[in-house]
Amino acid sequence: MSLLDLNPDQLLSTTRAVRKRLDLTRPVPTELIRECVAMALQAPSGSTIVTMRFVVVRDEAKRRAIGEVYREVYAKYKASPGYPGNPAGDPERDRIQARVAASADHLGEHMGDAPVLVLGCNEGRDRASATAGLGNVLPAVWNFMLAARARGLGTAWTSMHRSREQDVADIMGIPYDTVAQAVLTPLAYTKGTDFKPATRPDPESVIHWDTW
Ligand SMILES: Cc1cc2nc3c(=O)[nH]c(=O)nc-3n(C[C@H](O)[C@H](O)[C@H](O)COP(=O)(O)O)c2cc1C
């Protein structure tokens, strides 16, 4: 295992949603995926009960089938009024949103081309408990993404496939009645590793000191 030379703050601030810079041609070693899952399992979970599941999709036909579901869901999103690529009248914000939208559009077309797809899931006794416990898998998936970044791999948190979750469950043989899907991410080496911190709001704009 060789890790990029990133201090903790650099890792946290440069783990971006990677879409256009995924290297779709380079295979991802299985051992690296196992290491990322090992790091994911260090994340907190309720009562330290491990209900999170990682469905790792290397099989090309299954990747393409999930990619097709994602493409269809994305096309509907793109045609909706909430699509971030639609100008909202603030030139500065519109410029940033147009860039994010172009990146998201690219993934909409190429999700199934990634060498690996990963579904972060939560298993419960039944559908209701699986869904209620989705919070258990979220820190683990973010740990997975940080561990991937440290290894020169890129990810992009997506969830819109959940409107067709049953279809994805059927493709993968995931038992829909007891396993809820939270996140779908591509996993691939990145083209270059020089990712930058994003522009985000001033912390003061989101902090409520001592009272709301
Ligand atoms: C809950 C959640 C759902 C998301 N769903 C999608 C998605 O379906 N498709 C997508 O392209 N990006 C999705 N994203 C990624 C964000 O759009 C991404 O963070 C944003 O593009 C900013 O990129 P950055 O994190 O590199 O700054 C999602 C992120 C979160 C936290």
Side-chain angles (χ1 to χ4, degrees):
M1 165 184 53
S2 82
L3 299 179
L4 299 181
D5 185 19
L6 297 169
N7 70 34
D9 280 2
Q10 288 168 333
L11 180 67
L12 288 167
S13 62
T14 65
T15 301
R16 304 259 62 84
V18 185
R19 303 182 183 97
K20 290 185 175 177
R21 289 178 61 186
L22 296 171
D23 186 341
L24 305 178
T25 63
R26 191 171 163 198
V28 178
T30 296
E31 190 47 36
L32 282 195
I33 302 172
R34 203 172 277 120
E35 287 175 14
C36 292
V37 173
M39 289 299 109
L41 292 173
Q42 293 290 331
S45 63
S47 309
T48 328
I49 296 172
V50 178
T51 57
M52 63 287 262
R53 304 286 180 258
F54 289 81
V55 180
V56 178
V57 193
R58 297 167 298 177
D59 179 272
E60 182 173 358
K62 290 177 179 171
R63 279 190 286 116
R64 300 238 173 259
I66 293 172
E68 197 47 42
V69 170
Y70 190 80
R71 186 201 309 276
E72 289 168 16
V73 172
Y74 191 85
K76 279 197 186 149
Y77 166 70
K78 197 172 172 183
S80 72
Y83 173 64
N86 296 333
D90 172 350
E92 174 62 14
R93 171 119 184 105
D94 287 352
R95 196 178 50 77
I96 295 168
Q97 287 300 89
R99 205 176 55 231
V100 172
S103 164
D105 290 357
H106 183 82
L107 187 64
E109 288 301 314
H110 294 286
M111 179 71 90
D113 298 336
V116 180
L117 299 179
V118 179
L119 287 156
C121 305
N122 186 60
E123 184 164 18
R125 289 179 310 280
D126 49 29
R127 181 79 196 157
S129 71
T131 306
L134 273 182
N136 269 336
V137 75
L138 306 182
V141 172
W142 185 236
N143 262 25
F144 179 94
M145 291 176 163
L146 293 168
R149 161 72 174 139
R151 287 160 178 76
L153 301 170
T155 56
W157 189 296
T158 81
S159 60
M160 67 175 72
H161 78 284
R162 291 177 63 208
S163 62
R164 299 264 306 273
E165 186 181 340
Q166 173 95 65
D167 291 334
V168 173
D170 291 347
I171 292 165
M172 293 311 303
I174 296 171
Y176 182 80
D177 289 346
T178 51
V179 176
Q181 299 166 38
V183 183
L184 166 66
T185 179
L187 181 70
Y189 277 101
T190 55
K191 296 179 190 165
T193 57
D194 56 330
F195 293 88
K196 304 251 176 329
T199 304
R200 292 289 201 251
D202 185 319
E204 285 295 332
S205 71
V206 299
I207 300 173
H208 303 261
W209 296 108
D210 297 324
T211 183
W212 181 264

